Amino acid sequence: MTDFTIHTIESAPEESKAGLETSFKTNGRVPGLHGVMAEAPALLAAYHFAHAQFMATSFDAEEKTVVWQSVNVEQNCHYCVPAHTGIAKMMKVDDAITEALRNETPLPTAKLEALRTFTLDVVRNRGFVDEAATQAFLDAGYTQRHILEVILGVSQKVMSNYTNHFAQTPVDQVFQKFAWQKAE
């Protein structure tokens, strides 16, 4: 197994220092994920950019959480599920939504369930979502724009989930109370 370095601002490659400084200013700390990504400055920069762009989508806080956590749970990310549980709390997302996502139980509204189902179709089928599933998503009140925004959210999570799989990034202390394991 490869041991990945979790960089600090001081230990990071020069090209990653500004990105980690931004992480520190935004979070009051350097998240472990960002510290790992700093080894590849382009990945850290791309992740920051993808995150900012996903935050600027037309999805509300609940919908962003559904996209993120659907991918995190599906991809069994031990780091991102607890992190996004904490982030959902900061975004004032109803705990019932967060718990349904973490436990893979029904969401409180049909529209949010349609978003989760579509997001999982995108992940599981690697973007080859059939016409019926796509139409069901559109019939739930979403648009072509939302299809493309789901792709953005999935892309962001691929970067973080895969990094955490390789690095086995320890869950940040602030999120350890939200530790999670996929149900067998």
Side-chain angles (χ1 to χ4, degrees), residues 61-183:
E62 290 179 350
E63 292 167 323
K64 286 176 178 113
T65 298
V66 169
V67 172
W68 281 327
Q69 286 291 55
S70 296
V71 179
N72 292 336
V73 169
E74 178 67 16
Q75 296 189 147
N76 196 16
C77 188
H78 74 283
Y79 180 95
C80 289
V81 173
H84 279 282
T85 300
I87 291 166
K89 286 190 175 298
M90 289 183 264
M91 293 171 67
K92 304 203 180 329
V93 171
D94 185 340
D95 288 342
I97 293 170
T98 301
E99 288 307 306
L101 291 162
R102 287 170 57 98
N103 298 315
E104 300 180 272
T105 57
L107 286 161
T109 70
K111 188 172 183 184
L112 291 177
E113 192 62 50
L115 177 58
R116 173 171 48 187
T117 299
F118 182 76
T119 300
L120 291 174
D121 281 343
V122 170
V123 172
R124 291 173 181 163
N125 297 306
R126 297 181 302 250
F128 291 101
V129 178
D130 68 36
E131 186 59 38
T134 301
Q135 191 59 52
F137 181 64
L138 296 171
D139 290 346
Y142 290 103
T143 66
Q144 290 178 353
R145 176 179 179 167
H146 292 116
I147 292 169
L148 299 172
E149 289 175 341
V150 166
I151 293 168
L152 173 60
V154 169
S155 299
Q156 178 195 0
K157 296 316 317 172
V158 165
M159 285 187 270
S160 61
N161 293 171
Y162 288 13
T163 297
N164 291 318
H165 293 333
F166 276 100
Q168 297 183 2
T169 314
V171 175
D172 298 326
Q173 184 176 357
V174 68
F175 298 129
Q176 287 177 0
K177 63 187 168 199
F178 305 122
W180 172 86
Q181 279 191 304
K182 191 167 181 80

